[in-house]
Amino acid sequence: MSWHKTPIALMAKALAAKEVSSTELTQYFLDRIEAGKQWNAYLDVNAHLSLEQANKADQLISSGKAGKLTGIPVAHKDVFVTRGWKSTAASKILSGYQSPFDATVVANLGIPDENNPHGAGMVCLGKTNMDEFAMGSSNENSAFGPVLNPWNAAHVAGGSSGGSAAAVAAGLAPIATGTDTGGSIRQPAAFCGLTGIKPSYGRVSRYGMIAYASSLDQAGPMGKTAEDCALLLSAMSSHDSRDSTSLADSGEDYGRYLNQAWNEGSTNSAKPLEGLRVGLPKEFFAEGLASDVAKSVNEAAKLLENLGATLIEVSLPKTKLSIPVYYVLAPAEASSNLSRFDGVRYGYRANEYRDLGDMYAKSRTEGFGSEVKRRIMIGTYVLCHGYYDAYYLQAQKIRRIIAADFQAAFNQCDVILGPVAPDVAWRLGEKSKDPVQMYLEDIYTLSTNLAGLPAMSVPCGFNTNNLPIGMQLIGNYFSEARLLQVAHQYQQASDWHLRQASEVA
Amino acid sequence: MKLDDVQRIAHLSRLELNQAEAEAVLPQLQAIFSLVEEMQAVDTTGLEPLAHPILFLRDLAQPMRADQVTESDHRSENMQSAPAQQDGYFLVPRVIE
């Protein structure tokens, strides 16, 4: 059985029917991880611990105490702290670090115990590679080497959840967690042919997520289908009193609309999306968008129209400004968050130093990579006396305009459709020398993080070099279940999400 | 931005850059800040800064938790990752002579 091609929705049925055990599934993926090291998707694997968890999951299943996800393996982005596996955020400064506790996301998905009675019972396969502290758009900024794209090893997997994306695309995990600060779930999902969703800000607890930019960071699932993402997101999200920005628990089943028509009660099965208004922002289809990406996204819009949706042109006039606004606000927050890495309480400490100040500076200089240092310096600069109003406050004011622009668009439509990124996965090294070139690649994803809106990436085609293309669906606050419904209906009528890279047997 | 500014913000960031590193990062920072300058053309008179997306949804009260002691003592677990320690304290270079 090719379990690596099986969506977790079907895997759950096979586990419930005892066609396979969690131990067998876990061993299957551990073997694939061992054989698939060339993608550099994982930073830490502990087969003994994974199999111990699988054994516990099998006991839950045989005693009739299993939930929907019990026994299914999952890979966690290295930004989530985990007991038993190393947690480094792909940085030398945290090299070898082991957390004494689990992040809430890890606990929510993990094996239940007395401290964690509501765990979903999933088995942790290990920690996936990422851009250091989630800073990057290509996964070339990891202190432990770049992740390669399973569709073409000469190309990037996307960042910063590139390890999670490559792990699922190469069949080294059935599903994975990621985080999205400026597009870091959606863009690697698009580059690797996966489905991924960044939920509304506050839906998923950030407790135990190593912080980059706290007002933008949000965790979400990356998998093969919208249905799989709905299953994982329902288990990941909860109210958490340890995260003051965590919202009251809605207890939502994000998959509740998947097989329903957009208009409840509609019986036209050929047009399940009748009544859905899809907004196409003209700024998302302007200069800078690769023609093959534009073509695929337009064809996807056409398919949604065939399913009954109405296409409407909308405008998000401040789209271009989301780049400078993001690259002021995110580094400002990062410079503050990363000040905790000083070599005193945990992490790397330089071997030689003169005094306390010198120890801080040498530990940080030797421990952080160049992109992280660059963003810390940008953040420090924009928060400096004399520049604060011109940069930081101005960016926050434009952030309000960007959020308001979305509300104006949502007066006209139910979901917004556009590309995830201006182009497909680029070649390794192609943009590393020029940070501004790299930052421009985030143009279509940044604005939703600034506004805190949910958005997802759905496979919608390939370019002429057989590299995946993703479309982006953006919804209004707390409309995740509706976004997943649209994506699921699209996936019932298309097969882009089922394609496998030829290099992945 | 000039080379002096790069060294000044590196110092404020508790980072060290040698001359060659500072010279290499200067044009990158200049390019980023010329991108950032595009923000200055936007009229934001009378607008409140938005520090946080939750603040945009005014009707969305953030849940408050009871003011109770919930954390127990995790000292020994938390000390396990310390680069240097002695008698249960973090060890750092002498600060006061």
Side-chain angles (χ1 to χ4, degrees):
Chain A
M1 183 75 189
S2 301
W3 292 112
H4 63 287
K5 296 179 184 169
T6 310
I8 64 164
L10 293 176
M11 216 173 261
K13 288 187 179 134
L15 278 163
K18 306 227 163 62
E19 289 164 19
V20 66
S21 70
S22 176
T23 304
E24 286 164 341
L25 275 179
T26 303
Q27 188 62 57
Y28 177 89
F29 282 101
L30 288 170
D31 291 345
R32 286 193 61 88
I33 291 168
E34 187 59 34
K37 283 189 170 164
Q38 73 271 27
W39 311 112
N40 202 22
Y42 279 87
L43 293 181
D44 196 29
V45 177
N46 182 338
H48 174 74
L49 211 52
S50 297
L51 290 167
E52 207 173 274
Q53 292 192 356
N55 183 36
K56 285 185 185 153
D58 281 329
Q59 285 171 27
L60 289 169
I61 294 169
S62 58
S63 62
K65 290 181 191 150
K68 275 186 202 169
L69 295 170
T70 304
I72 295 174
V74 60
H76 289 298
K77 184 175 181 178
D78 200 33
V79 79
F80 297 101
V81 300
T82 38
R83 267 182 305 173
W85 286 265
K86 294 186 186 91
S87 301
T88 67
S91 181
K92 185 184 166 190
I93 211 161
L94 275 172
S95 180
Y97 175 76
Q98 284 225 19
S99 165
F101 67 98
D102 279 331
T104 299
V105 162
V106 173
N108 282 357
L109 295 178
I111 302 290
D113 58 26
E114 62 272 23
N115 301 321
N116 176 37
H118 302 297
M122 298 183 85
V123 174
C124 177
L125 283 172
K127 307 296 289 293
T128 58
N129 203 350
M130 55 185 281
D131 278 308
E132 184 178 359
F133 287 107
M135 297 179 189
S137 311
S138 64
N139 220 125
E140 292 167 294
N141 297 334
S142 165
F144 307 102
V147 176
L148 311 186
N149 191 317
W151 288 89
N152 185 328
H155 290 252
V156 300
S160 65
S161 313
S164 287
V168 179
L172 316 183
I175 195 153
T177 56
T179 62
D180 192 312
T181 306
S184 285
I185 286 175
R186 291 160 284 161
Q187 187 250 30
F191 283 9
C192 292
L194 303 181
T195 308
I197 182 165
K198 176 199 96 70
S200 307
Y201 184 82
R203 281 284 209 197
V204 177
S205 168
R206 289 183 296 106
Y207 181 75
M209 231 171 94
I210 299 168
Y212 161 22
S214 309
S215 83
L216 301 154
D217 296 340
Q218 187 59 192
M222 304 170 78
K224 294 184 189 73
T225 65
E227 187 178 14
D228 281 5
C229 288
L231 277 166
L232 204 73
L233 182 58
S234 299
M236 282 171 86
S237 62
S238 65
H239 170 63
D240 185 357
S241 58
R242 293 168 298 188
D243 171 2
S244 67
T245 60
S246 164
L247 300 171
D249 196 358
S250 60
E252 273 194 65
D253 168 10
Y254 294 102
R256 67 190 183 281
Y257 296 127
L258 291 185
N259 294 303
Q260 291 185 19
W262 184 265
N263 282 336
E264 227 177 300
S266 162
T267 51
N268 187 351
S269 61
K271 295 204 180 292
L273 296 180
E274 203 156 40
L276 168 69
R277 298 166 303 164
V278 177
L280 300 161
K282 59 181 182 208
E283 295 81 4
F284 279 34
F285 294 87
E287 193 194 344
L289 180 62
S291 59
D292 38 15
V293 176
K295 183 168 167 277
S296 288
V297 176
N298 280 317
E299 282 169 4
K302 205 86 200 137
L303 180 55
L304 292 176
E305 200 174 27
N306 291 341
L307 295 173
T310 310
L311 305 180
I312 299 160
E313 186 184 282
V314 295
S315 177
L316 295 169
K318 295 287 181 286
T319 295
K320 250 182 102 175
L321 279 170
S322 61
I323 298 174
V325 169
Y326 176 89
Y327 282 100
V328 167
L329 296 182
E333 294 185 21
S335 70
S336 170
N337 276 326
L338 271 57
S339 64
R340 73 187 61 168
F341 297 100
D342 55 10
V344 174
R345 288 157 298 150
Y346 44 73
Y348 176 82
R349 181 184 285 191
N351 287 326
E352 289 175 30
Y353 40 82
R354 289 188 310 275
D355 52 28
L356 188 65
D358 198 41
M359 187 189 89
Y360 293 156
K362 289 218 164 52
S363 299
R364 289 164 63 80
T365 301
E366 293 168 21
F368 289 133
S370 57
E371 180 62 28
V372 173
K373 286 191 242 190
R374 192 153 53 224
R375 291 196 198 188
I376 289 173
M377 288 196 287
I378 297 167
T380 302
Y381 189 72
V382 299
L383 292 174
C384 273
H385 180 69
Y387 300 109
Y388 181 86
D389 286 9
Y391 294 125
Y392 186 64
L393 274 188
Q394 176 73 351
Q396 285 191 334
K397 288 175 182 173
I398 302 173
R399 181 180 196 171
R400 185 174 290 281
I401 303 176
I402 289 169
D405 281 350
F406 274 110
Q407 291 313 302
F410 284 125
N411 282 333
Q412 297 171 265
C413 65
D414 303 297
V415 300
I416 289 169
L417 171 68
V420 173
D423 210 340
V424 296
W426 52 87
R427 295 183 80 83
L428 283 151
E430 193 179 321
K431 295 180 199 282
S432 331
K433 290 256 168 1
D434 185 348
V436 168
Q437 271 309 308
M438 192 85 95
Y439 296 174
L440 295 176
E441 296 296 322
D442 301 338
I443 184 162
Y444 305 128
T445 48
L446 296 173
S447 50
T448 57
N449 297 77
L450 292 167
L453 294 165
M456 64 184 299
S457 178
V458 183
C460 71
F462 290 86
N463 81 342
T464 46
N465 295 321
N466 201 36
L467 286 162
I469 294 170
M471 65 166 168
Q472 182 174 208
L473 290 168
I474 304 168
N476 211 340
Y477 297 102
F478 317 122
S479 66
E480 289 84 353
R482 287 295 192 179
L483 281 180
L484 289 159
Q485 176 187 19
V486 175
H488 180 71
Q489 291 298 337
Y490 176 82
Q491 292 184 337
Q492 297 308 295
S494 66
D495 68 352
W496 304 113
H497 61 295
L498 300 175
R499 311 270 179 108
Q500 293 271 334
S502 58
E503 294 186 44
V504 179
Chain B
M1 183 177 284
K2 300 190 191 75
L3 213 51
D4 286 355
D5 297 315
V6 176
Q7 288 296 5
R8 189 171 60 91
I9 56 174
H11 175 71
L12 288 171
S13 307
R14 297 285 181 266
L15 294 169
E16 282 179 357
L17 295 182
N18 63 34
Q19 190 66 15
E21 287 166 334
E23 280 170 14
V25 84
L26 176 65
Q28 294 173 343
L29 292 176
Q30 283 170 333
I32 291 161
F33 278 99
S34 74
L35 189 73
V36 166
E37 285 305 319
E38 290 174 23
M39 292 193 316
Q40 305 310 328
V42 183
D43 180 9
T44 53
T45 323
L47 275 177
E48 281 289 308
L50 179 62
H52 209 278
I54 287 183
L55 302 171
F56 187 72
L57 301 163
R58 288 185 186 284
D59 54 342
L60 202 76
Q62 271 175 266
M64 305 286 272
R65 69 176 171 200
D67 187 15
Q68 289 168 339
V69 178
T70 54
E71 285 295 314
S72 48
D73 177 20
H74 296 296
R75 185 178 194 142
S76 60
E77 284 161 291
N78 290 333
M79 293 303 290
Q80 274 171 16
S81 300
Q85 57 172 306
Q86 190 182 315
D87 305 328
Y89 295 97
F90 298 112
L91 208 57
V92 294
R94 187 185 295 273
V95 180
I96 303 166
E97 291 297 334

Short mmCIF file of all heavy atoms in Angstrom, two decimals, chain A residues 226 257-258 260 262 273 276 278 304 307 309 414-415 417 456 458 471 473 480-492:
data_model
loop_
_atom_site.label_atom_id
_atom_site.label_comp_id
_atom_site.label_asym_id
_atom_site.label_seq_id
_atom_site.Cartn_x
_atom_site.Cartn_y
_atom_site.Cartn_z
N ALA A 226 -7.77 19.70 0.87
CA ALA A 226 -8.48 20.64 1.76
C ALA A 226 -9.13 19.86 2.90
O ALA A 226 -9.18 20.32 4.03
CB ALA A 226 -9.52 21.41 0.96
N TYR A 257 -18.65 22.11 6.21
CA TYR A 257 -19.31 22.51 4.95
C TYR A 257 -18.78 21.76 3.72
O TYR A 257 -19.27 21.98 2.62
CB TYR A 257 -19.10 24.01 4.67
CG TYR A 257 -19.71 24.94 5.68
CD1 TYR A 257 -18.94 25.93 6.29
CD2 TYR A 257 -21.06 24.86 6.01
CE1 TYR A 257 -19.49 26.80 7.21
CE2 TYR A 257 -21.63 25.73 6.93
CZ TYR A 257 -20.83 26.69 7.52
OH TYR A 257 -21.38 27.56 8.43
N LEU A 258 -17.72 20.95 3.93
CA LEU A 258 -16.98 20.42 2.77
C LEU A 258 -17.88 19.87 1.66
O LEU A 258 -17.70 20.20 0.49
CB LEU A 258 -16.01 19.31 3.20
CG LEU A 258 -14.79 19.71 4.03
CD1 LEU A 258 -13.89 18.51 4.25
CD2 LEU A 258 -13.99 20.84 3.37
N GLN A 260 -21.11 20.27 1.28
CA GLN A 260 -22.39 20.96 1.12
C GLN A 260 -22.33 21.96 -0.04
O GLN A 260 -21.25 22.40 -0.43
CB GLN A 260 -22.72 21.74 2.39
CG GLN A 260 -23.05 20.85 3.57
CD GLN A 260 -23.50 21.66 4.77
OE1 GLN A 260 -23.88 22.82 4.62
NE2 GLN A 260 -23.45 21.06 5.93
N TRP A 262 -22.86 25.70 -1.60
CA TRP A 262 -22.64 27.02 -0.99
C TRP A 262 -23.94 27.57 -0.42
O TRP A 262 -23.99 28.04 0.71
CB TRP A 262 -22.03 27.99 -2.02
CG TRP A 262 -21.70 29.31 -1.43
CD1 TRP A 262 -22.48 30.42 -1.44
CD2 TRP A 262 -20.54 29.63 -0.67
NE1 TRP A 262 -21.85 31.43 -0.75
CE2 TRP A 262 -20.66 30.98 -0.28
CE3 TRP A 262 -19.40 28.93 -0.31
CZ2 TRP A 262 -19.69 31.63 0.47
CZ3 TRP A 262 -18.42 29.58 0.43
CH2 TRP A 262 -18.58 30.91 0.82
N LEU A 273 -21.34 25.50 -6.11
CA LEU A 273 -20.88 26.81 -5.63
C LEU A 273 -21.80 27.95 -6.09
O LEU A 273 -21.41 29.12 -6.04
CB LEU A 273 -19.43 27.06 -6.05
CG LEU A 273 -18.40 26.09 -5.43
CD1 LEU A 273 -17.00 26.42 -5.92
CD2 LEU A 273 -18.46 26.11 -3.91
N LEU A 276 -21.90 31.72 -4.72
CA LEU A 276 -20.58 32.18 -4.24
C LEU A 276 -20.08 33.31 -5.13
O LEU A 276 -20.08 33.20 -6.36
CB LEU A 276 -19.58 31.01 -4.28
CG LEU A 276 -18.10 31.36 -4.09
CD1 LEU A 276 -17.83 31.83 -2.66
CD2 LEU A 276 -17.21 30.17 -4.44
N VAL A 278 -16.83 35.34 -6.13
CA VAL A 278 -15.37 35.28 -6.06
C VAL A 278 -14.79 36.60 -6.54
O VAL A 278 -15.02 37.01 -7.68
CB VAL A 278 -14.83 34.12 -6.93
CG1 VAL A 278 -13.30 34.10 -6.92
CG2 VAL A 278 -15.37 32.78 -6.44
N LEU A 304 -14.19 27.50 -11.12
CA LEU A 304 -15.10 27.89 -10.03
C LEU A 304 -16.40 28.45 -10.63
O LEU A 304 -17.49 28.19 -10.12
CB LEU A 304 -14.45 28.92 -9.11
CG LEU A 304 -13.27 28.43 -8.27
CD1 LEU A 304 -12.64 29.58 -7.47
CD2 LEU A 304 -13.68 27.31 -7.30
N LEU A 307 -18.58 25.80 -11.66
CA LEU A 307 -19.22 25.17 -10.50
C LEU A 307 -20.32 26.06 -9.92
O LEU A 307 -20.89 25.73 -8.88
CB LEU A 307 -18.18 24.84 -9.42
CG LEU A 307 -17.12 23.78 -9.80
CD1 LEU A 307 -16.05 23.69 -8.72
CD2 LEU A 307 -17.76 22.42 -10.03
N ALA A 309 -20.03 29.62 -9.32
CA ALA A 309 -19.61 30.89 -8.70
C ALA A 309 -19.71 32.05 -9.70
O ALA A 309 -19.69 31.85 -10.92
CB ALA A 309 -18.18 30.77 -8.20
N ASP A 414 -17.45 37.07 -1.49
CA ASP A 414 -17.35 36.18 -0.33
C ASP A 414 -15.92 35.70 -0.11
O ASP A 414 -15.47 35.55 1.02
CB ASP A 414 -18.26 34.96 -0.52
CG ASP A 414 -19.70 35.36 -0.75
OD1 ASP A 414 -20.28 35.97 0.16
OD2 ASP A 414 -20.23 35.09 -1.85
N VAL A 415 -15.23 35.38 -1.20
CA VAL A 415 -13.82 35.02 -1.10
C VAL A 415 -13.04 35.77 -2.18
O VAL A 415 -13.61 36.18 -3.19
CB VAL A 415 -13.58 33.48 -1.28
CG1 VAL A 415 -14.31 32.67 -0.23
CG2 VAL A 415 -13.93 33.02 -2.67
N LEU A 417 -9.79 35.58 -4.80
CA LEU A 417 -8.93 34.61 -5.48
C LEU A 417 -7.80 35.32 -6.20
O LEU A 417 -8.00 36.33 -6.87
CB LEU A 417 -9.76 33.81 -6.51
CG LEU A 417 -8.99 32.90 -7.46
CD1 LEU A 417 -8.36 31.74 -6.72
CD2 LEU A 417 -9.88 32.39 -8.57
N MET A 456 -5.61 30.58 2.06
CA MET A 456 -5.04 29.26 1.78
C MET A 456 -4.45 29.14 0.39
O MET A 456 -4.70 29.97 -0.49
CB MET A 456 -6.07 28.16 2.04
CG MET A 456 -7.29 28.14 1.19
SD MET A 456 -8.43 26.82 1.74
CE MET A 456 -7.45 25.33 1.51
N VAL A 458 -3.94 26.46 -2.83
CA VAL A 458 -4.53 25.26 -3.42
C VAL A 458 -3.84 25.01 -4.76
O VAL A 458 -3.74 25.93 -5.58
CB VAL A 458 -6.05 25.46 -3.65
CG1 VAL A 458 -6.69 24.20 -4.19
CG2 VAL A 458 -6.75 25.90 -2.37
N MET A 471 -2.96 28.52 -6.30
CA MET A 471 -3.85 29.69 -6.24
C MET A 471 -4.13 29.99 -4.78
O MET A 471 -4.07 29.12 -3.92
CB MET A 471 -5.17 29.43 -6.97
CG MET A 471 -6.02 28.34 -6.35
SD MET A 471 -7.69 28.44 -7.06
CE MET A 471 -8.41 26.92 -6.50
N LEU A 473 -6.75 31.51 -1.95
CA LEU A 473 -8.11 31.89 -1.58
C LEU A 473 -8.04 32.63 -0.25
O LEU A 473 -7.47 32.11 0.71
CB LEU A 473 -9.00 30.65 -1.41
CG LEU A 473 -9.36 29.87 -2.67
CD1 LEU A 473 -9.98 28.52 -2.29
CD2 LEU A 473 -10.32 30.65 -3.56
N GLU A 480 -12.73 30.22 7.81
CA GLU A 480 -11.90 29.06 7.41
C GLU A 480 -12.75 27.92 6.83
O GLU A 480 -12.39 27.31 5.82
CB GLU A 480 -11.10 28.52 8.59
CG GLU A 480 -9.98 29.41 9.06
CD GLU A 480 -10.43 30.49 10.02
OE1 GLU A 480 -11.65 30.64 10.23
OE2 GLU A 480 -9.56 31.19 10.56
N ALA A 481 -13.85 27.61 7.51
CA ALA A 481 -14.68 26.48 7.07
C ALA A 481 -15.21 26.72 5.66
O ALA A 481 -15.30 25.79 4.84
CB ALA A 481 -15.82 26.24 8.04
N ARG A 482 -15.52 27.98 5.36
CA ARG A 482 -16.03 28.33 4.02
C ARG A 482 -14.91 28.25 2.97
O ARG A 482 -15.12 27.81 1.84
CB ARG A 482 -16.63 29.73 4.05
CG ARG A 482 -17.97 29.79 4.77
CD ARG A 482 -19.01 28.98 4.05
NE ARG A 482 -20.36 29.23 4.53
CZ ARG A 482 -21.45 28.64 4.02
NH1 ARG A 482 -21.34 27.79 3.01
NH2 ARG A 482 -22.63 28.91 4.51
N LEU A 483 -13.71 28.73 3.33
CA LEU A 483 -12.56 28.64 2.41
C LEU A 483 -12.29 27.18 2.07
O LEU A 483 -12.06 26.82 0.90
CB LEU A 483 -11.30 29.22 3.06
CG LEU A 483 -11.14 30.73 3.10
CD1 LEU A 483 -9.83 31.07 3.80
CD2 LEU A 483 -11.15 31.32 1.70
N LEU A 484 -12.29 26.33 3.11
CA LEU A 484 -12.01 24.91 2.90
C LEU A 484 -13.10 24.26 2.05
O LEU A 484 -12.83 23.36 1.25
CB LEU A 484 -11.87 24.20 4.25
CG LEU A 484 -10.58 24.58 5.02
CD1 LEU A 484 -10.70 24.29 6.50
CD2 LEU A 484 -9.36 23.85 4.43
N GLN A 485 -14.32 24.76 2.19
CA GLN A 485 -15.43 24.26 1.37
C GLN A 485 -15.18 24.57 -0.12
O GLN A 485 -15.30 23.70 -0.98
CB GLN A 485 -16.74 24.92 1.82
CG GLN A 485 -17.96 24.57 0.99
CD GLN A 485 -19.18 25.39 1.41
OE1 GLN A 485 -19.05 26.44 2.04
NE2 GLN A 485 -20.36 24.91 1.05
N VAL A 486 -14.79 25.82 -0.40
CA VAL A 486 -14.52 26.21 -1.79
C VAL A 486 -13.37 25.37 -2.36
O VAL A 486 -13.45 24.83 -3.47
CB VAL A 486 -14.20 27.72 -1.89
CG1 VAL A 486 -13.81 28.10 -3.31
CG2 VAL A 486 -15.39 28.55 -1.42
N ALA A 487 -12.30 25.23 -1.55
CA ALA A 487 -11.13 24.46 -2.00
C ALA A 487 -11.51 23.00 -2.23
O ALA A 487 -11.08 22.38 -3.22
CB ALA A 487 -10.01 24.56 -0.97
N HIS A 488 -12.32 22.44 -1.34
CA HIS A 488 -12.71 21.04 -1.48
C HIS A 488 -13.55 20.83 -2.74
O HIS A 488 -13.33 19.88 -3.49
CB HIS A 488 -13.50 20.61 -0.24
CG HIS A 488 -13.97 19.18 -0.27
ND1 HIS A 488 -13.10 18.12 -0.15
CD2 HIS A 488 -15.21 18.63 -0.44
CE1 HIS A 488 -13.79 16.98 -0.22
NE2 HIS A 488 -15.07 17.26 -0.40
N GLN A 489 -14.49 21.74 -2.97
CA GLN A 489 -15.32 21.61 -4.18
C GLN A 489 -14.46 21.73 -5.44
O GLN A 489 -14.67 21.01 -6.41
CB GLN A 489 -16.44 22.67 -4.19
CG GLN A 489 -17.51 22.44 -3.12
CD GLN A 489 -18.27 21.12 -3.30
OE1 GLN A 489 -18.32 20.57 -4.39
NE2 GLN A 489 -18.83 20.61 -2.21
N TYR A 490 -13.47 22.63 -5.39
CA TYR A 490 -12.54 22.75 -6.52
C TYR A 490 -11.77 21.44 -6.71
O TYR A 490 -11.57 20.98 -7.83
CB TYR A 490 -11.57 23.93 -6.26
CG TYR A 490 -10.51 24.09 -7.32
CD1 TYR A 490 -10.78 24.75 -8.51
CD2 TYR A 490 -9.24 23.56 -7.13
CE1 TYR A 490 -9.81 24.89 -9.49
CE2 TYR A 490 -8.26 23.69 -8.10
CZ TYR A 490 -8.54 24.36 -9.29
OH TYR A 490 -7.58 24.48 -10.25
N GLN A 491 -11.35 20.84 -5.59
CA GLN A 491 -10.56 19.60 -5.68
C GLN A 491 -11.40 18.40 -6.10
O GLN A 491 -10.86 17.41 -6.60
CB GLN A 491 -9.84 19.35 -4.34
CG GLN A 491 -8.76 20.42 -4.11
CD GLN A 491 -7.91 20.23 -2.88
OE1 GLN A 491 -8.31 19.57 -1.92
NE2 GLN A 491 -6.72 20.82 -2.89
N GLN A 492 -12.73 18.49 -5.91
CA GLN A 492 -13.60 17.42 -6.42
C GLN A 492 -13.69 17.49 -7.95
O GLN A 492 -14.00 16.50 -8.59
CB GLN A 492 -15.02 17.55 -5.83
CG GLN A 492 -15.09 17.38 -4.32
CD GLN A 492 -14.41 16.11 -3.85
OE1 GLN A 492 -14.84 15.02 -4.17
NE2 GLN A 492 -13.32 16.26 -3.12
#
